[in-house]
Amino acid sequence: MNKIKKIFTKSLNNKDGSSVEEVSSRRNFFKNTAALSVSAIAAASVLDPIKVLANDEAIVGDAPWGIKLGDKSTKNRYGLPSPYEHNNVRRNDPLLSSGDEYATVIMSPIHESEGIITPNGLFFTRNHGGTAHVDPHEFRLMIHGKVKKEIVLTLDEIKRYPSETRTYFIECPANGSTDWRAPQYNNLQFLKGMMSSAQWTGVMLKTILEDLGLEDDAVWMMAEGSDNAGNPRTIPVEKALDDAMLVWGQNGEALRAEQGYPLRLLLPGWEGNLNLKWLKRLEFSDKPWHSKEETSKYTMLQKSGKAIQFFWINEVNSVITSPCPEKPWTDLKAGDLVEVEGIAWSGQGTITDVDVTLDGGDNWIKANLKGLVLPKSWTRFSYVMRWDGKPILLSSRAVDDLGSVQPTIDQETSKQGVESVYHRNANVTWEVTEKGEVNNVHIRKHKA
Ligand SMILES: Nc1nc2c(c(=O)[nH]1)N[C@H]1C(S)=C(S)[C@@H](COP(=O)(O)O)O[C@H]1N2
Ligand SMILES: [Mo]
């Protein structure tokens, strides 16, 4: 600590124009913030050896951004990330989008994600017919069919209902679908980036439906968008009356156009495709619609040759985000302490446990859940370990409060086969080589 203190004051003394007063007040700052010094030491112990270079130009020298005024603070009316973060971007999956620029799967850079919220500009985007730009003044939502009071609402009228703000992830059920047969991408963004998480603001759908009154035999709700694709989907009324929301807010601002501005349906924990964007119509009926999306797509082919229709919930899942192929351990040396971190989620409840394995699933160790642990929400987990520099097979396994355990590839494919496309939630395993490189590998102990 003394060493750090000495260097800190020295650098100030070296700096032209620092008054004595300034230096002593900085000294007091150090003296008075014991907690800061302790955490500085704790952080330093992860680095081995601790590099303390008193003459490091980066600290004692004059940085170009420090010797002149910065940009005018009035310049950016809407803030953008630092230009140094230019690599932290969404990427179009060439395989799943098949060269199309409208019906696309734009993957979120989840390897760069921090905490449990995706910044709006990085939210994954799955469009069947491009991004619509809906004029909020022209926006209308029709609610009809088996409701006592059929109605057409403007956006302002919808916003007059009492609002709620809640944190949920959205995941396309095709997330991970490229890996059913064999590892396809050595890349976390393309493997699992078909999901993101936000704090959503809107009205509980049940608030509106209670107001309008549903007929007794209204068992199904059809939701449709006003975009080129429309993407009509049938949803059981139980979900509409449970935690479904009509949302206009995304992380403290209006929904992004890509996320369905000005209003989308949010079905917490359920397949992304049911979360209708650019919402236009909710129709109630006693029968499901069997729309194109429900017959040609979004069915799950089983080993038996039969397909499951109307499979809604995204099951318990997890993935290690650090390390990953894009974030290898190539800078680490044998004996270094390192934090393994990842995201766990379950569309049916709250994450209760995450285990981590270093040997491809023979032994499991409990990880820590970090920060907020919310239902149907991304949950961060962490496991701090000392890497001995030898190859490991690193994976995670999540458990939710309904007791569901994330399956191994063997468990999942023995039941499902490999033709399902959707609902892949088997563990992802990273092979960490002795050089610290990270590869996507499949651990199979039995034949599928
Ligand atoms: N109207 C409309 N809603 C839609 C879609 C669409 O193309 N049109 N795509 C669906 C699909 S397949 C998914 S996975 C989610 C993706 O939501 P996001 O783009 O906000 O991530 O929106 C769903 N809602
Ligand atoms: Mo989707």
PDB file of all heavy atoms in Angstrom, residues 124 126 128 171-174 194 272-273 298, ligand 2:
ATOM      1  N   PHE A 124     -30.082  -8.379 -29.332  1.00  0.00           N
ATOM      2  CA  PHE A 124     -30.160  -9.259 -30.504  1.00  0.00           C
ATOM      3  C   PHE A 124     -31.453  -8.935 -31.258  1.00  0.00           C
ATOM      4  O   PHE A 124     -32.429  -8.492 -30.660  1.00  0.00           O
ATOM      5  CB  PHE A 124     -30.081 -10.740 -30.108  1.00  0.00           C
ATOM      6  CG  PHE A 124     -31.398 -11.466 -30.007  1.00  0.00           C
ATOM      7  CD1 PHE A 124     -31.890 -12.217 -31.066  1.00  0.00           C
ATOM      8  CD2 PHE A 124     -32.135 -11.419 -28.846  1.00  0.00           C
ATOM      9  CE1 PHE A 124     -33.100 -12.894 -30.972  1.00  0.00           C
ATOM     10  CE2 PHE A 124     -33.345 -12.092 -28.740  1.00  0.00           C
ATOM     11  CZ  PHE A 124     -33.834 -12.828 -29.805  1.00  0.00           C
ATOM     12  N   ARG A 126     -34.113 -10.353 -34.233  1.00  0.00           N
ATOM     13  CA  ARG A 126     -34.582 -11.396 -35.146  1.00  0.00           C
ATOM     14  C   ARG A 126     -35.798 -10.855 -35.866  1.00  0.00           C
ATOM     15  O   ARG A 126     -36.856 -10.671 -35.252  1.00  0.00           O
ATOM     16  CB  ARG A 126     -34.931 -12.654 -34.343  1.00  0.00           C
ATOM     17  CG  ARG A 126     -35.674 -13.725 -35.142  1.00  0.00           C
ATOM     18  CD  ARG A 126     -34.764 -14.396 -36.150  1.00  0.00           C
ATOM     19  NE  ARG A 126     -35.411 -15.509 -36.833  1.00  0.00           N
ATOM     20  CZ  ARG A 126     -35.636 -15.532 -38.161  1.00  0.00           C
ATOM     21  NH1 ARG A 126     -35.329 -14.514 -38.921  1.00  0.00           N
ATOM     22  NH2 ARG A 126     -36.179 -16.609 -38.715  1.00  0.00           N
ATOM     23  N   HIS A 128     -38.331 -11.169 -39.356  1.00  0.00           N
ATOM     24  CA  HIS A 128     -38.734 -12.009 -40.482  1.00  0.00           C
ATOM     25  C   HIS A 128     -38.932 -11.173 -41.746  1.00  0.00           C
ATOM     26  O   HIS A 128     -38.937 -11.707 -42.848  1.00  0.00           O
ATOM     27  CB  HIS A 128     -40.023 -12.767 -40.151  1.00  0.00           C
ATOM     28  CG  HIS A 128     -39.856 -13.743 -39.022  1.00  0.00           C
ATOM     29  ND1 HIS A 128     -39.881 -15.097 -39.202  1.00  0.00           N
ATOM     30  CD2 HIS A 128     -39.601 -13.554 -37.715  1.00  0.00           C
ATOM     31  CE1 HIS A 128     -39.677 -15.708 -38.046  1.00  0.00           C
ATOM     32  NE2 HIS A 128     -39.510 -14.782 -37.135  1.00  0.00           N
ATOM     33  N   GLU A 171     -35.186 -14.769 -25.531  1.00  0.00           N
ATOM     34  CA  GLU A 171     -34.312 -15.711 -26.239  1.00  0.00           C
ATOM     35  C   GLU A 171     -35.097 -16.362 -27.366  1.00  0.00           C
ATOM     36  O   GLU A 171     -36.208 -16.856 -27.152  1.00  0.00           O
ATOM     37  CB  GLU A 171     -33.810 -16.801 -25.274  1.00  0.00           C
ATOM     38  CG  GLU A 171     -32.863 -17.782 -25.951  1.00  0.00           C
ATOM     39  CD  GLU A 171     -32.438 -18.953 -25.061  1.00  0.00           C
ATOM     40  OE1 GLU A 171     -33.191 -19.315 -24.127  1.00  0.00           O
ATOM     41  OE2 GLU A 171     -31.362 -19.509 -25.314  1.00  0.00           O
ATOM     42  N   CYS A 172     -34.516 -16.366 -28.557  1.00  0.00           N
ATOM     43  CA  CYS A 172     -35.106 -17.118 -29.656  1.00  0.00           C
ATOM     44  C   CYS A 172     -34.890 -18.600 -29.348  1.00  0.00           C
ATOM     45  O   CYS A 172     -33.785 -18.987 -28.959  1.00  0.00           O
ATOM     46  CB  CYS A 172     -34.429 -16.731 -30.976  1.00  0.00           C
ATOM     47  SG  CYS A 172     -35.040 -17.710 -32.358  1.00  0.00           S
ATOM     48  N   PRO A 173     -35.916 -19.440 -29.538  1.00  0.00           N
ATOM     49  CA  PRO A 173     -35.715 -20.868 -29.238  1.00  0.00           C
ATOM     50  C   PRO A 173     -34.678 -21.513 -30.143  1.00  0.00           C
ATOM     51  O   PRO A 173     -34.207 -22.608 -29.861  1.00  0.00           O
ATOM     52  CB  PRO A 173     -37.102 -21.469 -29.453  1.00  0.00           C
ATOM     53  CG  PRO A 173     -37.795 -20.518 -30.378  1.00  0.00           C
ATOM     54  CD  PRO A 173     -37.257 -19.156 -30.027  1.00  0.00           C
ATOM     55  N   ALA A 174     -34.307 -20.821 -31.236  1.00  0.00           N
ATOM     56  CA  ALA A 174     -33.265 -21.355 -32.128  1.00  0.00           C
ATOM     57  C   ALA A 174     -31.859 -21.037 -31.607  1.00  0.00           C
ATOM     58  O   ALA A 174     -30.873 -21.374 -32.259  1.00  0.00           O
ATOM     59  CB  ALA A 174     -33.437 -20.795 -33.533  1.00  0.00           C
ATOM     60  N   MET A 194     -28.313 -15.311 -29.549  1.00  0.00           N
ATOM     61  CA  MET A 194     -29.698 -15.070 -29.951  1.00  0.00           C
ATOM     62  C   MET A 194     -30.553 -14.816 -28.717  1.00  0.00           C
ATOM     63  O   MET A 194     -31.653 -15.362 -28.570  1.00  0.00           O
ATOM     64  CB  MET A 194     -30.226 -16.285 -30.726  1.00  0.00           C
ATOM     65  CG  MET A 194     -30.736 -15.938 -32.108  1.00  0.00           C
ATOM     66  SD  MET A 194     -31.534 -17.332 -32.866  1.00  0.00           S
ATOM     67  CE  MET A 194     -30.163 -18.224 -33.517  1.00  0.00           C
ATOM     68  N   GLY A 272     -38.803 -16.480 -27.983  1.00  0.00           N
ATOM     69  CA  GLY A 272     -38.710 -15.125 -28.530  1.00  0.00           C
ATOM     70  C   GLY A 272     -39.770 -14.801 -29.557  1.00  0.00           C
ATOM     71  O   GLY A 272     -40.361 -13.719 -29.552  1.00  0.00           O
ATOM     72  N   ASN A 273     -40.068 -15.765 -30.442  1.00  0.00           N
ATOM     73  CA  ASN A 273     -40.993 -15.480 -31.554  1.00  0.00           C
ATOM     74  C   ASN A 273     -42.414 -15.152 -31.106  1.00  0.00           C
ATOM     75  O   ASN A 273     -43.201 -14.615 -31.875  1.00  0.00           O
ATOM     76  CB  ASN A 273     -40.997 -16.652 -32.545  1.00  0.00           C
ATOM     77  CG  ASN A 273     -41.384 -17.946 -31.853  1.00  0.00           C
ATOM     78  OD1 ASN A 273     -42.538 -18.157 -31.538  1.00  0.00           O
ATOM     79  ND2 ASN A 273     -40.406 -18.797 -31.591  1.00  0.00           N
ATOM     80  N   TYR A 298     -41.214 -23.531 -35.713  1.00  0.00           N
ATOM     81  CA  TYR A 298     -41.484 -23.560 -34.274  1.00  0.00           C
ATOM     82  C   TYR A 298     -42.183 -24.830 -33.813  1.00  0.00           C
ATOM     83  O   TYR A 298     -42.998 -24.824 -32.902  1.00  0.00           O
ATOM     84  CB  TYR A 298     -42.254 -22.314 -33.821  1.00  0.00           C
ATOM     85  CG  TYR A 298     -41.545 -21.041 -34.245  1.00  0.00           C
ATOM     86  CD1 TYR A 298     -42.214 -20.022 -34.889  1.00  0.00           C
ATOM     87  CD2 TYR A 298     -40.178 -20.889 -34.012  1.00  0.00           C
ATOM     88  CE1 TYR A 298     -41.545 -18.866 -35.304  1.00  0.00           C
ATOM     89  CE2 TYR A 298     -39.515 -19.744 -34.428  1.00  0.00           C
ATOM     90  CZ  TYR A 298     -40.202 -18.743 -35.072  1.00  0.00           C
ATOM     91  OH  TYR A 298     -39.547 -17.624 -35.470  1.00  0.00           O
TER      92      TYR A 298
HETATM   93 MO    MO B   2     -37.017 -16.435 -33.075  1.00  0.00          MO
END
